[in-house]
PDB file of all heavy atoms in Angstrom:
ATOM      1  N   PRO J   1       0.830  -1.228  -0.002  1.00  0.00           N
ATOM      2  CA  PRO J   1       0.013   0.026  -0.013  1.00  0.00           C
ATOM      3  C   PRO J   1       0.842   1.268   0.016  1.00  0.00           C
ATOM      4  O   PRO J   1       1.908   1.355   0.609  1.00  0.00           O
ATOM      5  CB  PRO J   1      -0.825  -0.150   1.280  1.00  0.00           C
ATOM      6  CG  PRO J   1      -0.853  -1.574   1.552  1.00  0.00           C
ATOM      7  CD  PRO J   1       0.445  -2.094   1.109  1.00  0.00           C
ATOM      8  N   PHE J   2       0.340   2.251  -0.754  1.00  0.00           N
ATOM      9  CA  PHE J   2       0.896   3.613  -0.762  1.00  0.00           C
ATOM     10  C   PHE J   2       0.003   4.484   0.137  1.00  0.00           C
ATOM     11  O   PHE J   2      -1.254   4.383   0.091  1.00  0.00           O
ATOM     12  CB  PHE J   2       0.874   4.214  -2.141  1.00  0.00           C
ATOM     13  CG  PHE J   2       1.842   3.594  -3.132  1.00  0.00           C
ATOM     14  CD1 PHE J   2       1.496   2.426  -3.807  1.00  0.00           C
ATOM     15  CD2 PHE J   2       3.093   4.110  -3.324  1.00  0.00           C
ATOM     16  CE1 PHE J   2       2.348   1.842  -4.653  1.00  0.00           C
ATOM     17  CE2 PHE J   2       3.971   3.515  -4.195  1.00  0.00           C
ATOM     18  CZ  PHE J   2       3.596   2.411  -4.873  1.00  0.00           C
ATOM     19  N   ASN J   3       0.564   5.359   0.907  1.00  0.00           N
ATOM     20  CA  ASN J   3      -0.194   6.337   1.716  1.00  0.00           C
ATOM     21  C   ASN J   3      -0.032   7.703   1.051  1.00  0.00           C
ATOM     22  O   ASN J   3       1.100   8.187   0.880  1.00  0.00           O
ATOM     23  CB  ASN J   3       0.317   6.435   3.147  1.00  0.00           C
ATOM     24  CG  ASN J   3      -0.100   5.156   3.939  1.00  0.00           C
ATOM     25  OD1 ASN J   3      -1.091   4.550   3.635  1.00  0.00           O
ATOM     26  ND2 ASN J   3       0.698   4.807   4.919  1.00  0.00           N
ATOM     27  N   VAL J   4      -1.123   8.343   0.702  1.00  0.00           N
ATOM     28  CA  VAL J   4      -1.096   9.669   0.109  1.00  0.00           C
ATOM     29  C   VAL J   4      -2.110  10.545   0.783  1.00  0.00           C
ATOM     30  O   VAL J   4      -3.106  10.028   1.397  1.00  0.00           O
ATOM     31  CB  VAL J   4      -1.409   9.608  -1.424  1.00  0.00           C
ATOM     32  CG1 VAL J   4      -0.330   8.859  -2.139  1.00  0.00           C
ATOM     33  CG2 VAL J   4      -2.781   8.947  -1.669  1.00  0.00           C
ATOM     34  N   ASN J   5      -1.966  11.856   0.682  1.00  0.00           N
ATOM     35  CA  ASN J   5      -2.840  12.807   1.289  1.00  0.00           C
ATOM     36  C   ASN J   5      -3.805  13.433   0.284  1.00  0.00           C
ATOM     37  O   ASN J   5      -3.390  13.763  -0.798  1.00  0.00           O
ATOM     38  CB  ASN J   5      -2.019  13.954   1.956  1.00  0.00           C
ATOM     39  CG  ASN J   5      -1.166  13.446   3.118  1.00  0.00           C
ATOM     40  OD1 ASN J   5      -1.537  12.488   3.754  1.00  0.00           O
ATOM     41  ND2 ASN J   5      -0.120  14.119   3.344  1.00  0.00           N
ATOM     42  N   ALA J   6      -5.058  13.525   0.724  1.00  0.00           N
ATOM     43  CA  ALA J   6      -6.024  14.290  -0.070  1.00  0.00           C
ATOM     44  C   ALA J   6      -5.829  15.780   0.126  1.00  0.00           C
ATOM     45  O   ALA J   6      -4.952  16.189   0.903  1.00  0.00           O
ATOM     46  CB  ALA J   6      -7.446  13.872   0.322  1.00  0.00           C
ATOM     47  N   ARG J   7      -6.609  16.579  -0.513  1.00  0.00           N
ATOM     48  CA  ARG J   7      -6.422  18.024  -0.457  1.00  0.00           C
ATOM     49  C   ARG J   7      -6.592  18.548   0.967  1.00  0.00           C
ATOM     50  O   ARG J   7      -5.999  19.554   1.354  1.00  0.00           O
ATOM     51  CB  ARG J   7      -7.403  18.719  -1.412  1.00  0.00           C
ATOM     52  CG  ARG J   7      -7.129  20.226  -1.625  1.00  0.00           C
ATOM     53  CD  ARG J   7      -8.003  20.700  -2.777  1.00  0.00           C
ATOM     54  NE  ARG J   7      -9.411  20.453  -2.483  1.00  0.00           N
ATOM     55  CZ  ARG J   7     -10.381  20.494  -3.415  1.00  0.00           C
ATOM     56  NH1 ARG J   7     -10.084  20.694  -4.696  1.00  0.00           N
ATOM     57  NH2 ARG J   7     -11.624  20.254  -3.097  1.00  0.00           N
ATOM     58  N   ASP J   8      -7.463  17.913   1.734  1.00  0.00           N
ATOM     59  CA  ASP J   8      -7.692  18.355   3.071  1.00  0.00           C
ATOM     60  C   ASP J   8      -6.813  17.640   4.116  1.00  0.00           C
ATOM     61  O   ASP J   8      -7.162  17.597   5.319  1.00  0.00           O
ATOM     62  CB  ASP J   8      -9.177  18.229   3.477  1.00  0.00           C
ATOM     63  CG  ASP J   8      -9.691  16.805   3.200  1.00  0.00           C
ATOM     64  OD1 ASP J   8      -8.876  15.905   2.876  1.00  0.00           O
ATOM     65  OD2 ASP J   8     -10.898  16.588   3.289  1.00  0.00           O
ATOM     66  N   ALA J   9      -5.751  17.001   3.650  1.00  0.00           N
ATOM     67  CA  ALA J   9      -4.715  16.369   4.466  1.00  0.00           C
ATOM     68  C   ALA J   9      -5.136  15.012   5.027  1.00  0.00           C
ATOM     69  O   ALA J   9      -4.429  14.415   5.806  1.00  0.00           O
ATOM     70  CB  ALA J   9      -4.281  17.263   5.639  1.00  0.00           C
ATOM     71  N   SER J  10      -6.307  14.497   4.657  1.00  0.00           N
ATOM     72  CA  SER J  10      -6.667  13.129   5.071  1.00  0.00           C
ATOM     73  C   SER J  10      -5.783  12.093   4.366  1.00  0.00           C
ATOM     74  O   SER J  10      -5.482  12.240   3.211  1.00  0.00           O
ATOM     75  CB  SER J  10      -8.125  12.887   4.752  1.00  0.00           C
ATOM     76  OG  SER J  10      -8.987  13.758   5.435  1.00  0.00           O
ATOM     77  N   ILE J  11      -5.403  11.086   5.096  1.00  0.00           N
ATOM     78  CA  ILE J  11      -4.455  10.061   4.575  1.00  0.00           C
ATOM     79  C   ILE J  11      -5.269   8.869   4.037  1.00  0.00           C
ATOM     80  O   ILE J  11      -6.061   8.246   4.741  1.00  0.00           O
ATOM     81  CB  ILE J  11      -3.496   9.599   5.637  1.00  0.00           C
ATOM     82  CG1 ILE J  11      -2.682  10.796   6.172  1.00  0.00           C
ATOM     83  CG2 ILE J  11      -2.576   8.549   5.107  1.00  0.00           C
ATOM     84  CD1 ILE J  11      -1.758  10.437   7.290  1.00  0.00           C
ATOM     85  N   PHE J  12      -5.056   8.577   2.778  1.00  0.00           N
ATOM     86  CA  PHE J  12      -5.697   7.443   2.087  1.00  0.00           C
ATOM     87  C   PHE J  12      -4.632   6.370   1.800  1.00  0.00           C
ATOM     88  O   PHE J  12      -3.451   6.708   1.510  1.00  0.00           O
ATOM     89  CB  PHE J  12      -6.368   7.881   0.838  1.00  0.00           C
ATOM     90  CG  PHE J  12      -7.631   8.614   0.996  1.00  0.00           C
ATOM     91  CD1 PHE J  12      -7.610   9.952   1.340  1.00  0.00           C
ATOM     92  CD2 PHE J  12      -8.843   7.942   0.832  1.00  0.00           C
ATOM     93  CE1 PHE J  12      -8.824  10.639   1.517  1.00  0.00           C
ATOM     94  CE2 PHE J  12     -10.048   8.642   1.016  1.00  0.00           C
ATOM     95  CZ  PHE J  12     -10.019   9.998   1.388  1.00  0.00           C
ATOM     96  N   SER J  13      -5.025   5.126   1.850  1.00  0.00           N
ATOM     97  CA  SER J  13      -4.147   4.016   1.527  1.00  0.00           C
ATOM     98  C   SER J  13      -4.535   3.466   0.137  1.00  0.00           C
ATOM     99  O   SER J  13      -5.733   3.183  -0.098  1.00  0.00           O
ATOM    100  CB  SER J  13      -4.248   2.931   2.588  1.00  0.00           C
ATOM    101  OG  SER J  13      -3.429   1.812   2.252  1.00  0.00           O
ATOM    102  N   MET J  14      -3.571   3.289  -0.723  1.00  0.00           N
ATOM    103  CA  MET J  14      -3.817   2.806  -2.078  1.00  0.00           C
ATOM    104  C   MET J  14      -3.048   1.457  -2.251  1.00  0.00           C
ATOM    105  O   MET J  14      -1.848   1.378  -1.992  1.00  0.00           O
ATOM    106  CB  MET J  14      -3.288   3.814  -3.119  1.00  0.00           C
ATOM    107  CG  MET J  14      -3.793   5.250  -2.917  1.00  0.00           C
ATOM    108  SD  MET J  14      -5.532   5.408  -3.250  1.00  0.00           S
ATOM    109  CE  MET J  14      -5.817   7.114  -2.831  1.00  0.00           C
ATOM    110  N   ASP J  15      -3.798   0.466  -2.773  1.00  0.00           N
ATOM    111  CA  ASP J  15      -3.175  -0.824  -3.033  1.00  0.00           C
ATOM    112  C   ASP J  15      -3.214  -1.066  -4.552  1.00  0.00           C
ATOM    113  O   ASP J  15      -4.202  -1.579  -5.101  1.00  0.00           O
ATOM    114  CB  ASP J  15      -3.902  -1.937  -2.307  1.00  0.00           C
ATOM    115  CG  ASP J  15      -3.884  -1.755  -0.796  1.00  0.00           C
ATOM    116  OD1 ASP J  15      -4.699  -1.016  -0.263  1.00  0.00           O
ATOM    117  OD2 ASP J  15      -3.036  -2.477  -0.204  1.00  0.00           O
ATOM    118  N   PRO J  16      -2.125  -0.691  -5.293  1.00  0.00           N
ATOM    119  CA  PRO J  16      -2.176  -0.757  -6.728  1.00  0.00           C
ATOM    120  C   PRO J  16      -1.724  -2.110  -7.292  1.00  0.00           C
ATOM    121  O   PRO J  16      -0.867  -2.794  -6.695  1.00  0.00           O
ATOM    122  CB  PRO J  16      -1.289   0.358  -7.158  1.00  0.00           C
ATOM    123  CG  PRO J  16      -0.244   0.356  -6.104  1.00  0.00           C
ATOM    124  CD  PRO J  16      -0.961   0.020  -4.806  1.00  0.00           C
ATOM    125  N   THR J  17      -2.286  -2.495  -8.398  1.00  0.00           N
ATOM    126  CA  THR J  17      -1.808  -3.602  -9.243  1.00  0.00           C
ATOM    127  C   THR J  17      -1.676  -3.126 -10.656  1.00  0.00           C
ATOM    128  O   THR J  17      -2.624  -2.574 -11.194  1.00  0.00           O
ATOM    129  CB  THR J  17      -2.756  -4.811  -9.181  1.00  0.00           C
ATOM    130  OG1 THR J  17      -2.805  -5.264  -7.797  1.00  0.00           O
ATOM    131  CG2 THR J  17      -2.264  -5.931 -10.057  1.00  0.00           C
ATOM    132  N   ILE J  18      -0.482  -3.340 -11.301  1.00  0.00           N
ATOM    133  CA  ILE J  18      -0.287  -2.912 -12.622  1.00  0.00           C
ATOM    134  C   ILE J  18       0.125  -4.051 -13.539  1.00  0.00           C
ATOM    135  O   ILE J  18       0.827  -4.977 -13.089  1.00  0.00           O
ATOM    136  CB  ILE J  18       0.815  -1.799 -12.656  1.00  0.00           C
ATOM    137  CG1 ILE J  18       0.943  -1.212 -14.067  1.00  0.00           C
ATOM    138  CG2 ILE J  18       2.121  -2.328 -12.144  1.00  0.00           C
ATOM    139  CD1 ILE J  18       1.873   0.003 -14.150  1.00  0.00           C
ATOM    140  N   ALA J  19      -0.428  -4.073 -14.727  1.00  0.00           N
ATOM    141  CA  ALA J  19      -0.005  -5.005 -15.743  1.00  0.00           C
ATOM    142  C   ALA J  19       0.595  -4.168 -16.900  1.00  0.00           C
ATOM    143  O   ALA J  19      -0.103  -3.278 -17.442  1.00  0.00           O
ATOM    144  CB  ALA J  19      -1.182  -5.828 -16.267  1.00  0.00           C
ATOM    145  N   TYR J  20       1.812  -4.478 -17.266  1.00  0.00           N
ATOM    146  CA  TYR J  20       2.510  -3.634 -18.287  1.00  0.00           C
ATOM    147  C   TYR J  20       3.423  -4.540 -19.130  1.00  0.00           C
ATOM    148  O   TYR J  20       3.614  -5.720 -18.796  1.00  0.00           O
ATOM    149  CB  TYR J  20       3.352  -2.599 -17.606  1.00  0.00           C
ATOM    150  CG  TYR J  20       4.555  -3.163 -16.862  1.00  0.00           C
ATOM    151  CD1 TYR J  20       5.801  -3.196 -17.471  1.00  0.00           C
ATOM    152  CD2 TYR J  20       4.418  -3.731 -15.590  1.00  0.00           C
ATOM    153  CE1 TYR J  20       6.901  -3.744 -16.812  1.00  0.00           C
ATOM    154  CE2 TYR J  20       5.502  -4.270 -14.981  1.00  0.00           C
ATOM    155  CZ  TYR J  20       6.743  -4.293 -15.558  1.00  0.00           C
ATOM    156  OH  TYR J  20       7.820  -4.841 -14.940  1.00  0.00           O
ATOM    157  N   ARG J  21       3.931  -3.974 -20.152  1.00  0.00           N
ATOM    158  CA  ARG J  21       4.957  -4.637 -21.000  1.00  0.00           C
ATOM    159  C   ARG J  21       5.916  -3.615 -21.540  1.00  0.00           C
ATOM    160  O   ARG J  21       5.586  -2.379 -21.596  1.00  0.00           O
ATOM    161  CB  ARG J  21       4.339  -5.454 -22.125  1.00  0.00           C
ATOM    162  CG  ARG J  21       3.505  -4.627 -23.062  1.00  0.00           C
ATOM    163  CD  ARG J  21       2.773  -5.528 -24.095  1.00  0.00           C
ATOM    164  NE  ARG J  21       1.856  -4.742 -24.954  1.00  0.00           N
ATOM    165  CZ  ARG J  21       2.240  -4.204 -26.077  1.00  0.00           C
ATOM    166  NH1 ARG J  21       3.488  -4.290 -26.509  1.00  0.00           N
ATOM    167  NH2 ARG J  21       1.382  -3.527 -26.777  1.00  0.00           N
ATOM    168  N   ILE J  22       7.091  -4.074 -21.919  1.00  0.00           N
ATOM    169  CA  ILE J  22       8.109  -3.184 -22.463  1.00  0.00           C
ATOM    170  C   ILE J  22       7.942  -3.086 -23.959  1.00  0.00           C
ATOM    171  O   ILE J  22       7.729  -4.071 -24.643  1.00  0.00           O
ATOM    172  CB  ILE J  22       9.495  -3.710 -22.132  1.00  0.00           C
ATOM    173  CG1 ILE J  22       9.737  -3.584 -20.582  1.00  0.00           C
ATOM    174  CG2 ILE J  22      10.620  -2.926 -22.867  1.00  0.00           C
ATOM    175  CD1 ILE J  22      11.109  -4.112 -20.144  1.00  0.00           C
ATOM    176  N   ASN J  23       8.015  -1.833 -24.421  1.00  0.00           N
ATOM    177  CA  ASN J  23       8.018  -1.597 -25.894  1.00  0.00           C
ATOM    178  C   ASN J  23       9.389  -2.053 -26.447  1.00  0.00           C
ATOM    179  O   ASN J  23      10.379  -1.458 -26.111  1.00  0.00           O
ATOM    180  CB  ASN J  23       7.768  -0.127 -26.159  1.00  0.00           C
ATOM    181  CG  ASN J  23       7.674   0.208 -27.625  1.00  0.00           C
ATOM    182  OD1 ASN J  23       7.926  -0.657 -28.473  1.00  0.00           O
ATOM    183  ND2 ASN J  23       7.338   1.422 -27.935  1.00  0.00           N
ATOM    184  N   PRO J  24       9.412  -3.071 -27.315  1.00  0.00           N
ATOM    185  CA  PRO J  24      10.679  -3.552 -27.813  1.00  0.00           C
ATOM    186  C   PRO J  24      11.522  -2.522 -28.470  1.00  0.00           C
ATOM    187  O   PRO J  24      12.764  -2.584 -28.453  1.00  0.00           O
ATOM    188  CB  PRO J  24      10.296  -4.679 -28.790  1.00  0.00           C
ATOM    189  CG  PRO J  24       8.933  -5.104 -28.346  1.00  0.00           C
ATOM    190  CD  PRO J  24       8.272  -3.851 -27.810  1.00  0.00           C
ATOM    191  N   ASP J  25      10.878  -1.568 -29.116  1.00  0.00           N
ATOM    192  CA  ASP J  25      11.628  -0.480 -29.841  1.00  0.00           C
ATOM    193  C   ASP J  25      12.357   0.443 -28.859  1.00  0.00           C
ATOM    194  O   ASP J  25      13.282   1.184 -29.297  1.00  0.00           O
ATOM    195  CB  ASP J  25      10.671   0.335 -30.724  1.00  0.00           C
ATOM    196  CG  ASP J  25      10.031  -0.514 -31.809  1.00  0.00           C
ATOM    197  OD1 ASP J  25      10.617  -1.496 -32.224  1.00  0.00           O
ATOM    198  OD2 ASP J  25       8.914  -0.149 -32.222  1.00  0.00           O
ATOM    199  N   LYS J  26      11.994   0.427 -27.608  1.00  0.00           N
ATOM    200  CA  LYS J  26      12.649   1.331 -26.641  1.00  0.00           C
ATOM    201  C   LYS J  26      13.429   0.525 -25.577  1.00  0.00           C
ATOM    202  O   LYS J  26      13.831   1.111 -24.557  1.00  0.00           O
ATOM    203  CB  LYS J  26      11.594   2.222 -25.951  1.00  0.00           C
ATOM    204  CG  LYS J  26      11.047   3.211 -26.903  1.00  0.00           C
ATOM    205  CD  LYS J  26      10.220   4.250 -26.160  1.00  0.00           C
ATOM    206  CE  LYS J  26       9.739   5.372 -27.120  1.00  0.00           C
ATOM    207  NZ  LYS J  26       9.051   6.444 -26.410  1.00  0.00           N
ATOM    208  N   ALA J  27      13.586  -0.741 -25.808  1.00  0.00           N
ATOM    209  CA  ALA J  27      14.313  -1.571 -24.802  1.00  0.00           C
ATOM    210  C   ALA J  27      15.706  -1.060 -24.594  1.00  0.00           C
ATOM    211  O   ALA J  27      16.272  -0.983 -23.471  1.00  0.00           O
ATOM    212  CB  ALA J  27      14.346  -3.006 -25.206  1.00  0.00           C
ATOM    213  N   CYS J  28      16.433  -0.682 -25.682  1.00  0.00           N
ATOM    214  CA  CYS J  28      17.813  -0.192 -25.564  1.00  0.00           C
ATOM    215  C   CYS J  28      17.843   1.122 -24.819  1.00  0.00           C
ATOM    216  O   CYS J  28      18.745   1.380 -23.999  1.00  0.00           O
ATOM    217  CB  CYS J  28      18.421  -0.015 -26.939  1.00  0.00           C
ATOM    218  SG  CYS J  28      18.931  -1.570 -27.744  1.00  0.00           S
ATOM    219  N   ASP J  29      16.847   1.940 -25.054  1.00  0.00           N
ATOM    220  CA  ASP J  29      16.836   3.272 -24.352  1.00  0.00           C
ATOM    221  C   ASP J  29      16.619   3.051 -22.853  1.00  0.00           C
ATOM    222  O   ASP J  29      17.201   3.765 -22.011  1.00  0.00           O
ATOM    223  CB  ASP J  29      15.671   4.119 -24.925  1.00  0.00           C
ATOM    224  CG  ASP J  29      15.938   4.505 -26.377  1.00  0.00           C
ATOM    225  OD1 ASP J  29      17.109   4.527 -26.759  1.00  0.00           O
ATOM    226  OD2 ASP J  29      14.956   4.739 -27.090  1.00  0.00           O
ATOM    227  N   ILE J  30      15.744   2.084 -22.513  1.00  0.00           N
ATOM    228  CA  ILE J  30      15.485   1.795 -21.086  1.00  0.00           C
ATOM    229  C   ILE J  30      16.766   1.340 -20.413  1.00  0.00           C
ATOM    230  O   ILE J  30      17.138   1.834 -19.312  1.00  0.00           O
ATOM    231  CB  ILE J  30      14.372   0.758 -20.940  1.00  0.00           C
ATOM    232  CG1 ILE J  30      13.041   1.330 -21.421  1.00  0.00           C
ATOM    233  CG2 ILE J  30      14.258   0.302 -19.503  1.00  0.00           C
ATOM    234  CD1 ILE J  30      11.922   0.327 -21.449  1.00  0.00           C
ATOM    235  N   PHE J  31      17.466   0.389 -21.050  1.00  0.00           N
ATOM    236  CA  PHE J  31      18.710  -0.154 -20.415  1.00  0.00           C
ATOM    237  C   PHE J  31      19.802   0.927 -20.392  1.00  0.00           C
ATOM    238  O   PHE J  31      20.542   1.067 -19.407  1.00  0.00           O
ATOM    239  CB  PHE J  31      19.174  -1.340 -21.203  1.00  0.00           C
ATOM    240  CG  PHE J  31      20.455  -1.931 -20.603  1.00  0.00           C
ATOM    241  CD1 PHE J  31      20.345  -2.696 -19.480  1.00  0.00           C
ATOM    242  CD2 PHE J  31      21.698  -1.664 -21.186  1.00  0.00           C
ATOM    243  CE1 PHE J  31      21.549  -3.259 -18.896  1.00  0.00           C
ATOM    244  CE2 PHE J  31      22.808  -2.161 -20.592  1.00  0.00           C
ATOM    245  CZ  PHE J  31      22.744  -2.955 -19.471  1.00  0.00           C
ATOM    246  N   THR J  32      19.883   1.737 -21.437  1.00  0.00           N
ATOM    247  CA  THR J  32      20.904   2.760 -21.471  1.00  0.00           C
ATOM    248  C   THR J  32      20.710   3.762 -20.359  1.00  0.00           C
ATOM    249  O   THR J  32      21.669   4.229 -19.703  1.00  0.00           O
ATOM    250  CB  THR J  32      20.908   3.509 -22.787  1.00  0.00           C
ATOM    251  OG1 THR J  32      21.105   2.592 -23.871  1.00  0.00           O
ATOM    252  CG2 THR J  32      21.912   4.624 -22.860  1.00  0.00           C
ATOM    253  N   LYS J  33      19.459   4.024 -20.044  1.00  0.00           N
ATOM    254  CA  LYS J  33      19.181   5.055 -19.016  1.00  0.00           C
ATOM    255  C   LYS J  33      19.250   4.500 -17.624  1.00  0.00           C
ATOM    256  O   LYS J  33      19.717   5.193 -16.678  1.00  0.00           O
ATOM    257  CB  LYS J  33      17.757   5.623 -19.257  1.00  0.00           C
ATOM    258  CG  LYS J  33      17.432   6.810 -18.372  1.00  0.00           C
ATOM    259  CD  LYS J  33      16.106   7.491 -18.808  1.00  0.00           C
ATOM    260  CE  LYS J  33      15.825   8.713 -17.990  1.00  0.00           C
ATOM    261  NZ  LYS J  33      14.574   9.372 -18.426  1.00  0.00           N
ATOM    262  N   TYR J  34      18.792   3.258 -17.397  1.00  0.00           N
ATOM    263  CA  TYR J  34      18.658   2.728 -16.025  1.00  0.00           C
ATOM    264  C   TYR J  34      19.680   1.644 -15.706  1.00  0.00           C
ATOM    265  O   TYR J  34      19.984   1.399 -14.536  1.00  0.00           O
ATOM    266  CB  TYR J  34      17.262   2.254 -15.787  1.00  0.00           C
ATOM    267  CG  TYR J  34      16.232   3.315 -15.922  1.00  0.00           C
ATOM    268  CD1 TYR J  34      15.425   3.430 -17.063  1.00  0.00           C
ATOM    269  CD2 TYR J  34      16.063   4.298 -14.902  1.00  0.00           C
ATOM    270  CE1 TYR J  34      14.464   4.438 -17.196  1.00  0.00           C
ATOM    271  CE2 TYR J  34      15.130   5.274 -15.037  1.00  0.00           C
ATOM    272  CZ  TYR J  34      14.369   5.372 -16.147  1.00  0.00           C
ATOM    273  OH  TYR J  34      13.415   6.392 -16.284  1.00  0.00           O
TER     274      TYR J  34
END
């Protein structure tokens, strides 16, 4: 979980799930940078 603040300073907990893939055309750029 991530804890973030709303505009009125209330703390909310976020439980994210992401599904992603790497763009093959930018794989070299990703490795070069990171």
